[in-house]
Amino acid sequence: MSFGQGGPSWGPGDSRTPDWAALADESAARSRRRKWLLIGGGALATAAVAAIVATAVVTANDTGSPGSDKNASDLPAPADLPSDTSQPQPSFSSVAPPPPPDPKDYISDARKDKAPITVDAFFPGKKVTMGDRVHAKGATNRTNSCAATTQGALGSILTSNGCDQVIRATYSSGGVAVTVGLAVFGTEAEAKKAAQQASGGIASLNGAGVPTFCRAGAVCRRTANSYGRYAYFTVSGYTNGKNVTTADKDVYAVGDDLTEFTFRQIRHRGEVQASAAAGLPTA
């Protein structure tokens, strides 16, 4: 006798006694069905999750991954590089520019020294200021008779070395006077030799407020120098006729000032001519 699906079964020997073997088989069958249902449901859930993840990955690749075609089309194109590298390059000359002219070259030879030779070219203005000392300009003179401007043996020395002319200018300051004599030669060698052989001296030049000085046997200070084709000489002393000694620093100072000034004027003459030859502005 059976009570229906899932109920107890009665054995054939006793209609009232359950068939325990059959009941055990039925219970085991039900357990197996539940297990398979749980395994199947889990597999379905796992498959569903995997599908969702795969969809997300595909979506990400389609919208923002670096390797997607969409991103590649949105990136700016790289700058175009020139394919022609044969453009002209800057070039530099291997030839060094010529050196600037040497100013001394223009005052060492009459063939280059073409600037006018005048009193004002060498002794301009009415005074010379050297440091805190001011020397007023007195009389000036220019002559082609070189020997006439000298005392002692200097006249013959100038003449024998080819002196062309002599310019003299006198300056005075505080009872001291100095005459500068600038002798002009054709070459540097002639002027240098005349200065080295100098004996006697340039004659003082009085006038224009400066009395006669360094005459009639008065002891005065004399110098001789040369630069380029010019030899220049000085005679300096007291305007009251007093003899000069090595202790008279004021006489030495005035003489040195005018010697330095004359040298600067000769050098400046060379600088002006050299700058003009090079096409440069001159001070």
Side-chain angles (χ1 to χ4, degrees):
M1 178 176 183
S2 174
F3 285 95
Q5 185 178 3
S9 299
W10 305 106
D14 185 356
S15 61
R16 302 298 300 170
T17 300
D19 188 350
W20 298 110
L23 290 174
D25 291 339
E26 291 179 5
S27 175
R30 284 195 298 271
S31 297
R32 285 194 296 270
R33 285 196 298 270
R34 284 195 299 268
K35 181 179 180 179
W36 283 113
L37 287 174
L38 291 174
I39 292 174
L44 290 175
T46 302
V49 171
I52 294 172
V53 172
T55 302
V57 170
V58 171
T59 303
N61 286 338
D62 287 342
T63 57
S65 66
S68 67
D69 292 339
K70 183 176 184 301
N71 281 345
S73 62
D74 291 342
L75 292 175
D80 293 334
L81 297 176
S83 58
D84 183 8
T85 58
S86 61
Q87 296 296 325
Q89 299 297 318
S91 60
F92 302 93
S93 174
S94 60
V95 179
D102 185 353
K104 193 177 180 182
D105 288 345
Y106 289 85
I107 53 170
S108 296
D109 195 308
R111 291 172 296 182
K112 283 189 175 182
D113 188 13
K114 299 297 185 181
I117 297 176
T118 64
V119 171
D120 288 338
F122 292 94
F123 305 107
K126 296 181 178 180
K127 62 183 178 180
V128 168
T129 301
M130 301 291 286
D132 58 352
R133 293 183 294 274
V134 179
H135 312 294
K137 187 167 74 173
T140 61
N141 174 261
R142 175 177 175 269
T143 179
N144 293 329
S145 179
C146 297
T149 65
T150 68
Q151 291 180 319
L154 185 59
S156 62
I157 293 172
L158 297 183
T159 301
S160 64
N161 283 290
C163 178
D164 295 327
Q165 56 182 300
V166 172
I167 298 174
R168 287 184 296 169
T170 295
Y171 292 85
S172 63
S173 176
V176 176
V178 56
T179 295
V180 181
L182 182 72
V184 184
F185 296 85
T187 67
E188 179 181 15
E190 293 173 344
K192 187 175 182 179
K193 187 176 180 180
Q196 291 173 340
Q197 295 177 344
S199 179
I202 201 77
S204 63
L205 180 66
N206 60 292
V210 179
T212 301
F213 68 101
C214 293
R215 296 290 182 96
V219 177
C220 293
R221 185 197 181 206
R222 302 180 186 275
T223 66
N225 295 278
S226 69
Y227 189 70
R229 69 186 189 108
Y230 300 91
Y232 51 104
F233 310 88
T234 66
V235 55
S236 52
Y238 291 106
T239 55
N240 61 6
K242 176 185 173 181
N243 289 333
V244 175
T245 69
T246 56
D248 294 321
K249 303 302 180 183
D250 50 349
V251 175
Y252 279 75
V254 174
D256 289 346
D257 283 349
L258 270 300
T259 297
E260 175 68 17
F261 174 74
T262 304
F263 166 75
R264 292 181 184 180
Q265 290 299 101
I266 299 170
R267 184 180 62 186
H268 180 67
R269 178 182 178 88
E271 291 171 346
V272 169
Q273 294 183 91
S275 296
L280 302 174
T282 57

